[in-house]
Amino acid sequence: MLAGGQSLMPLLAFRLARPTLLVDLNRLGAELGGVEAEPGGALRIGALARQRAVERSGALSVLGEALALVGHPAIRNRGTVVGSVCHADPAAEVCAVALALDGSLELRSIRGRREVAVDELLTGPFSTAIEPDELAVALRLRPPAGWRWRVLEVARRAGDFALAGVVAGVDPAGGDARLAVFGAAPRPYRLDGPPAGLAERAAAAARPSGDLHGGVAYRRHLVGVVARRALAALGTDAA
Amino acid sequence: MSEVDPSRPLVGQPVRRVEDARLLRGRGRFVADLSPIAGIHHAAVVRSPHAHARVGAVDASAALALEGVIAVVTPDDARRLLRPFGVGVGGAEPYWPLALDTARYAGEPVAVVVARDRYVAEDAADLVAVDYEPLAPVLDVEAGRVVSDRSFRYGDPDAAFAAAAHRVEASFRFPRYSSTPIECYAVVAEWDAAAGEATVWSNFHGPFVMQPLIAASLGIPENRLRLVVPADIGGSFGIKSGVYAYIPLIALASRLAGVPVRWTADRWEDLVASQAGTDRLTRAAAAVDAEGRILGLRLEILDDVGAHLRPPEPATLYRCFGNLVGPYAVEHLAVEARAVLTNRPPTGLNRGFGGQQLYFTLERLVEMVGRRVGLDRVEVRRRNLIPAQHMPYRTPTGGVYDSGDYPALLDTLLREGDHTGMLAERDRLRRAGRLAGVGMAMIVDPSGTNLGYIDLARTPEERGRGLGKSGCTESATLTMDPMGGVRLRIATAPEGQGHETVAAQIVADALGVPMAAVRVDPSIDTASQVWNVSSGSYSSRFAPIVASAIHRACAALRERILAIAAEILEVDAADLELVGGGVRARGSDRAVPLRRVAGVAHWDPGALPPGVEPLLSVTASFSSELARSPAGDDTVDSSICYGGVGGLCLVDIDPDTCAVTLLRYASVHDSGRILNPLLADGQVAGALAHGLGGALYEELAYDPDGNPLTTSFMDYLCPTVREMPELRIHHLRGDTDFVPSRAKGIGEGTCMAAPAAIASAVTDALSGHGVEVTELPVHGGRIWEWLHTRERGEP
């Protein structure tokens, strides 16, 4: 399935993916390009909604904050929000936002329609529960009412995949918090609970792999740093 | 931006680039845009997946069976029809452009497929079955085979070390990295079987000393190899000089396929198998007196040149030999210079060639000297700088520094770079809990290479037996058409530097014509223009060498024009001047337009004064008499000019993430006269980006099996505009009388200084943790490891 092509085209160029059939969705913009607020506070993002358009729409500030960290504007002009979820890069900001906001992916096939929670959808690095005959048509996000959010990451350069990152939220009373950590495990993971000690739990849960940009211990350390900072920025007493 | 005043000489003014109109509109014409001949087919290179392997049978039958494939070049073909490149020094085996029986780096060419298009060629490349027997790779420079090994002594280093109050020593590692030009290697080759000739269109930009090497590899005389280079090359910074090694291979593909063949490298190929700057391990020691003066240096240099000693290597060892002491009055040196083979891709020219590696060591060492004797980074340098009254200064290694006032350069750096402000900002950041540091570097920027330095790889005895090597020659051909328009041909193959603009400024000034009347063609065609083995674009040679050749050509044409005008105006030629598109008698209104003067030569040569040639076309050359082959005592003046460059910078390190940010950088230059300040400042900014890359981001990395880890821009991190700091540039009012252009190179100095300056700042930032930066690049992960290794009490 070709939407924005920001992950698939490099895979094709490197001959890592050699599909026998390639379906280009790009003429379905009218059907799949929309972003709508739904009754009950959910946001439905169509499969062809470009990251840059969603970012600039102001539809959801935490998503905009996360999208601003995705690559560079030229990438976001083409890349789609739904495509990022389907690609399931462990370091993808969008997957972590979807996890934090109880997101689900709407899938269609000739067999029918189903909706899969992002937590069940993401099965590992670059792998999802999407069946070969299914088309992702939209992502539905369910931001809890009144929560405030902050997205923080550490990357070697602006726009790089994060060495560690976090989507952090806190409820209006400040007693309940939520973290979705990305770039630190085979898939993003989520922790819920009172702010105190949450960052430490996040670091302990990290399962990063090391590479030339940072070793395992450093990356785990970074999870704690970004989680603490994000919670502190939200005014919680995370320390 | 200041405006251009057309009533003043254009040289020295911020004239906008004439190249930009086409480049910014996407109208540049690069090799991939050219279809110079009909029937071009496309090549894909089959590359070794192993860093070291015996290459057995190569079975191309499945590839040849694919529809659209017309030929596959195998090692047997290369053995039969090519010859290895000549290697300048004794210890290395011949370098073939294709692995014959052993692949020595991951990515080394093993076969070439030719097909009707690139898609088919790549599919077929996958079908070439190669029988590999993997061998253990050598990746540690200290375990690699030494293929060039020389010892040098200048002055009396033993006595200097015996007399020293302090001996300061350390080892330094400079990383292997590239410049990743936007346009990768590109070659179109046509083998003319009837004539036994090859014509090659490529983005090879010199030095054209490689032309005879390519011809020899193809087994044809040099006058049967025509190299064509378009006026537009999409960046190189030295890296594309290595495309020459692919030219015989693609020409052979054309020969076997019977059609012209195009190969355009992709980014993966560029990162795994083009060319890299040489990584260097230096064990350095300084002999220092009680006052902090450096009496002598010992340098043991190990250059990892990769899998082959690919010409011009081991040149990285020697490019800076004349300026080995930098800006410092060090008189005694002992140098061991070794080139070592490992199972990594071959190295070669990269912006700052040899200077980055040298000054990282020298500048780190100087600061360690300062700390040992209790002098700050400014004072220890001030105490060792060569005084201005010693210019021109002959270094112990034979360099002749043409001009400069290094103490004044240091003062200017501190003032214009706002040293006080940087220190205040550093202290403010530190009070806010950050790890911040200020760093500096002072370097001598060599420009206009004397190719003779490469001969230092041979001993004086070896040199004595054969032909000497020297030279920096460049030529320029200037032609005036019947209407007075001017065409300049130079053999520089620029890669985006703006040679067309600056050359036109020089010609316009010299002939008194508007820039629009001057057409500059810097493209190359070795079959139809004047060139020589030094030609091309490298070693910051445009300003000192090429511009001087243009001056000479202008003077020669001017003389001919004045001789004709003198006849027309009946005024002595000595009393004439070229101004306003014509020739005028000084102090009078007697004048004649250039088109009339030109018209006489073109249309009415019978009216020419006696002795004046009926041709308004001249070729003139410039070659400095300073360019000599190395002397018997191994001294050599390795460059014609030497500029002075100072760098000052401020870095911020996050105490928790250890992420490093370069906040401010000041670059101060004495580069002689500035030909075009707009272009000069662009060069400085670009050189800073390159230096910043090597300091904090860029590294060609390999796993323990020798497989490349940085195979795309996802892992090979070039700094972007978001990583660039606030930059201040300042030029001293410089001059040099060593070259007619009075200008020195400017495109490399900042990239030589910046890695050292940034390392100095990071060391300052981490001073409370006892960390001394002796290797690059430094980034958060590495700093965190350093700090935490120390906290745990590990070595």
Side-chain angles (χ1 to χ4, degrees):
Chain A
M1 297 294 173
L2 178 65
Q6 298 304 294
S7 303
L8 181 56
M9 293 310 288
L11 288 172
L12 296 175
F14 278 100
R15 303 171 73 85
L16 293 170
R18 307 192 66 179
T20 49
L21 190 64
L22 190 65
V23 180
D24 183 351
L25 304 177
N26 282 287
R27 288 198 191 162
L28 298 176
E31 293 84 353
L32 298 177
V35 177
E36 322 154 29
E38 296 184 327
L43 185 73
R44 186 180 184 277
I45 300 166
L48 280 179
R50 309 290 164 175
Q51 292 164 349
R52 188 73 170 150
V54 175
E55 175 191 351
R56 297 174 92 165
S57 73
L60 186 58
S61 65
V62 56
L63 184 57
E65 196 181 339
L67 286 170
L69 298 170
V70 177
H72 302 279
I75 291 168
R76 303 199 291 274
N77 281 338
R78 285 189 178 271
T80 61
V81 171
V82 169
S84 180
V85 173
C86 294
H87 186 55
D89 190 306
E93 293 84 355
V94 173
C95 293
V97 170
L99 189 63
L101 301 186
D102 295 319
S104 56
L105 201 62
E106 187 182 326
L107 301 164
R108 285 206 204 149
S109 69
I110 51 170
R111 294 178 288 122
R113 175 191 171 284
R114 65 176 182 137
E115 189 146 343
V116 182
V118 167
D119 191 31
E120 288 155 38
L121 184 89
L122 302 173
T123 53
F126 308 103
S127 59
T128 65
I130 304 172
E131 297 294 334
D133 64 343
E134 285 181 312
L135 169 68
V137 294
L139 174 71
R140 188 165 278 112
L141 300 176
R142 300 175 181 82
W147 281 53
R148 291 173 300 116
W149 298 90
R150 187 55 64 92
V151 184
L152 274 188
E153 68 177 38
V154 178
R156 282 194 60 192
R157 298 173 308 178
D160 280 336
F161 283 103
L163 297 167
V166 66
V167 178
V170 62
D171 75 345
D176 193 16
R178 196 181 283 182
L179 296 177
V181 181
F182 55 97
R187 45 154 283 180
Y189 58 94
R190 181 168 143 179
L191 299 99
D192 293 72
L198 202 59
E200 288 67 29
R201 282 172 55 204
R207 296 287 177 271
S209 47
D211 64 12
L212 75 152
H213 306 301
V216 169
Y218 173 62
R219 285 166 180 257
R220 178 174 291 117
H221 162 78
L222 290 180
V223 172
V225 172
V226 291
R228 254 191 313 281
R229 285 185 177 176
L231 290 170
L234 289 165
T236 70
D237 188 11
Chain B
M1 192 184 303
S2 50
E3 289 299 309
V4 174
D5 176 356
S7 70
R8 287 177 32 237
L10 294 171
V11 169
Q13 296 203 64
V15 176
R16 286 174 183 260
R17 290 158 40 110
V18 300
E19 295 89 343
D20 286 348
R22 64 172 188 269
L23 293 175
L24 294 177
R25 292 185 173 106
R27 300 282 182 194
R29 272 183 294 176
F30 304 89
V31 175
D33 297 311
L34 303 180
S35 287
I37 187 162
I40 295 175
H41 283 57
H42 297 261
V45 180
V46 178
R47 297 177 182 279
S48 168
H50 305 287
H52 194 194
R54 196 84 62 209
V55 176
V58 175
D59 179 0
S61 53
L64 285 165
L66 195 68
E67 201 224 315
V69 175
I70 59 168
V72 176
V73 181
T74 65
D76 283 340
D77 298 320
R79 191 181 284 112
R80 195 163 49 86
L81 296 170
L82 292 183
R83 296 171 197 179
F85 289 110
V87 173
V89 291
E93 51 274 291
Y95 167 44
W96 292 80
L98 195 71
L100 295 190
D101 46 27
T102 309
R104 292 188 170 86
Y105 68 93
E108 180 156 24
V110 176
V112 179
V113 175
V114 181
R116 66 163 182 254
D117 60 41
R118 178 69 178 255
Y119 299 97
V120 174
E122 291 205 11
D123 284 347
D126 279 355
L127 297 174
V128 176
V130 182
D131 198 4
Y132 293 105
E133 180 196 329
L135 303 168
V138 176
L139 299 163
D140 178 0
V141 68
E142 294 182 87
R145 190 155 63 82
V146 177
V147 286
S148 179
D149 186 356
R150 288 223 50 209
S151 296
F152 302 89
R153 299 175 78 78
Y154 303 98
D156 190 349
D158 291 339
F161 275 86
H166 306 279
R167 180 190 169 95
V168 178
E169 57 189 322
S171 291
F172 302 92
R173 280 181 191 273
F174 194 81
R176 164 179 288 246
Y177 82 113
S178 174
S179 293
T180 56
I182 290 179
E183 180 202 28
C184 301
Y185 287 5
V187 178
V188 177
E190 189 220 3
W191 178 266
D192 181 338
E197 293 183 352
T199 301
V200 178
W201 297 262
S202 78
N203 46 21
F204 174 68
H205 57 78
F208 275 78
V209 67
M210 298 308 171
Q211 197 269 0
L213 268 69
I214 298 165
S217 176
L218 287 167
I220 55 177
E222 289 158 32
N223 62 3
R224 301 210 172 254
L225 169 64
R226 177 181 169 215
L227 296 182
V228 183
V229 184
D232 291 323
I233 293 180
S236 167
F237 318 96
I239 290 297
K240 292 236 268 285
S241 62
V243 71
Y244 86 85
Y246 284 93
I247 290 176
L249 208 51
I250 305 306
L252 175 59
S254 170
R255 181 175 179 175
L256 292 173
V259 292
V261 174
R262 180 192 298 278
W263 170 67
T264 307
D266 62 22
R267 183 59 60 191
W268 176 79
E269 291 181 291
D270 184 66
L271 284 167
V272 305
S274 61
Q275 174 163 296
T278 311
D279 45 316
R280 173 177 293 183
L281 168 63
T282 309
R283 298 190 189 93
V288 185
D289 74 9
E291 280 75 47
R293 279 183 207 90
I294 301 171
L295 307 171
L297 288 171
R298 280 186 199 283
L299 301 172
E300 185 188 341
I301 302 169
L302 286 178
D303 270 7
D304 177 353
V305 298
H308 302 280
L309 191 68
R310 178 159 90 187
E313 292 287 27
T316 309
L317 286 170
Y318 299 114
R319 191 259 178 133
C320 283
F321 242 62
N323 49 293
L324 213 46
V325 295
Y328 306 116
V330 180
E331 289 174 20
H332 308 284
L333 290 100
V335 185
E336 309 284 323
R338 299 194 184 104
V340 177
L341 297 186
T342 64
N343 292 109
R344 274 188 276 260
T347 58
L349 274 61
N350 190 25
R351 193 178 203 161
F353 191 47
Q356 292 197 305
Q357 294 90 336
L358 168 65
Y359 295 124
F360 179 62
T361 291
L362 203 55
E363 287 297 279
R364 298 305 310 122
L365 192 65
V366 165
E367 295 204 344
M368 293 168 78
V369 165
R371 276 199 297 283
R372 176 71 69 85
V373 298
L375 296 175
D376 70 22
R377 67 168 81 85
V378 175
E379 188 52 33
V380 68
R381 288 185 169 91
R382 201 185 296 284
R383 219 164 265 195
N384 283 287
L385 289 175
I386 297 162
Q389 63 269 27
H390 289 183
M391 292 290 172
Y393 177 84
R394 190 181 150 85
T395 69
T397 47
V400 183
Y401 291 174
D402 49 300
S403 65
D405 183 340
Y406 302 147
L409 179 72
L410 176 57
D411 290 337
T412 311
L413 176 66
L414 299 176
R415 189 181 64 246
E416 297 296 329
D418 188 22
H419 189 231
T420 311
M422 278 195 197
L423 290 175
E425 179 63 7
R426 176 194 72 178
D427 294 343
R428 191 191 67 76
L429 286 164
R430 285 181 176 176
R431 284 193 300 275
R434 309 291 291 187
L435 295 165
V438 169
M440 71 180 298
M442 293 276 293
I443 66 123
V444 169
D445 178 10
S447 58
T449 271
N450 162 22
L451 288 177
Y453 76 75
I454 293 165
D455 233 12
L456 282 175
R458 299 193 295 164
T459 63
E461 295 71 37
E462 288 166 337
R463 295 197 298 265
R465 286 198 295 271
L467 289 168
K469 282 196 183 73
S470 70
C472 63
T473 308
E474 195 52 270
S475 60
T477 300
L478 194 57
T479 304
M480 184 170 282
D481 63 39
M483 290 300 284
V486 183
R487 187 175 180 87
L488 176 72
R489 192 88 196 261
I490 44 178
T492 60
E495 314 124 31
Q497 301 97 319
H499 291 179
E500 290 174 45
T501 302
V502 182
Q505 288 176 257
I506 295 169
V507 173
D509 283 353
L511 299 183
V513 297
M515 263 183 77
V518 184
R519 173 75 171 94
V520 179
D521 181 0
S523 70
I524 286 181
D525 183 339
T526 59
S528 64
Q529 84 183 110
V530 178
W531 62 279
N532 78 102
V533 293
S534 312
S535 290
S537 182
Y538 60 97
S539 82
S540 299
R541 68 195 293 275
F542 182 87
I545 309 295
V546 182
S548 293
I550 297 169
H551 274 280
R552 293 253 168 105
C554 289
L557 186 65
R558 187 186 151 89
E559 192 183 338
R560 209 167 285 180
I561 291 166
L562 293 183
I564 300 168
E567 182 86 359
I568 297 170
L569 293 170
E570 299 175 329
V571 174
D572 195 276
D575 297 325
L576 295 176
E577 59 186 354
L578 284 162
V579 62
V583 186
R584 188 172 66 188
R586 266 196 204 86
S588 82
D589 56 3
R590 287 171 64 81
V592 56
L594 274 177
R595 64 172 183 276
R596 223 194 113 200
V597 179
V600 173
H602 284 278
W603 300 115
D604 189 12
L608 286 172
V612 174
E613 270 193 74
L615 181 68
L616 285 184
S617 182
V618 296
T619 296
S621 67
F622 174 71
S623 186
S624 170
E625 64 275 13
L626 294 164
R628 301 275 177 86
S629 79
D633 60 358
D634 282 325
T635 55
V636 69
D637 190 14
S638 45
S639 296
I640 304 310
C641 288
Y642 298 88
V645 179
L648 196 61
C649 65
L650 172 68
V651 303
D652 169 55
I653 300 178
D654 184 310
D656 298 321
T657 67
C658 298
V660 191
T661 307
L662 180 63
L663 297 177
R664 289 170 62 179
Y665 195 97
S667 202
V668 174
H669 299 252
D670 174 357
S671 304
R673 294 201 185 161
I674 300 297
L675 301 174
N676 182 326
L678 188 64
L679 273 65
D681 288 358
Q683 287 289 338
V684 172
L688 174 61
H690 187 233
L692 169 62
L696 300 183
Y697 301 102
E698 295 182 48
E699 180 179 24
L700 288 161
Y702 299 85
D703 76 8
D705 295 323
N707 299 307
L709 295 171
T710 40
T711 58
S712 78
F713 282 150
M714 212 169 84
D715 283 311
Y716 186 88
L717 308 182
C718 306
T720 71
V721 70
R722 307 255 315 252
E723 282 68 51
M724 280 292 277
E726 177 193 326
L727 170 61
R728 272 194 200 191
I729 301 169
H730 182 82
H731 302 283
L732 271 72
R733 196 177 287 274
D735 198 1
T736 177
D737 55 12
F738 276 36
V739 288
S741 69
R742 312 192 80 93
K744 315 186 197 187
I746 200 166
E748 296 185 272
T750 306
C751 84
M752 296 183 187
I758 294 168
S760 158
V762 172
T763 299
D764 184 43
L766 300 177
S767 54
H769 299 267
V771 171
E772 178 76 53
V773 176
T774 58
E775 62 184 287
L776 296 174
V778 284
H779 52 84
R782 238 164 235 184
I783 292 174
W784 190 83
E785 302 280 348
W786 291 340
L787 299 185
H788 288 265
T789 311
R790 266 158 227 275
E791 275 174 18
R792 292 199 304 270
E794 291 167 16

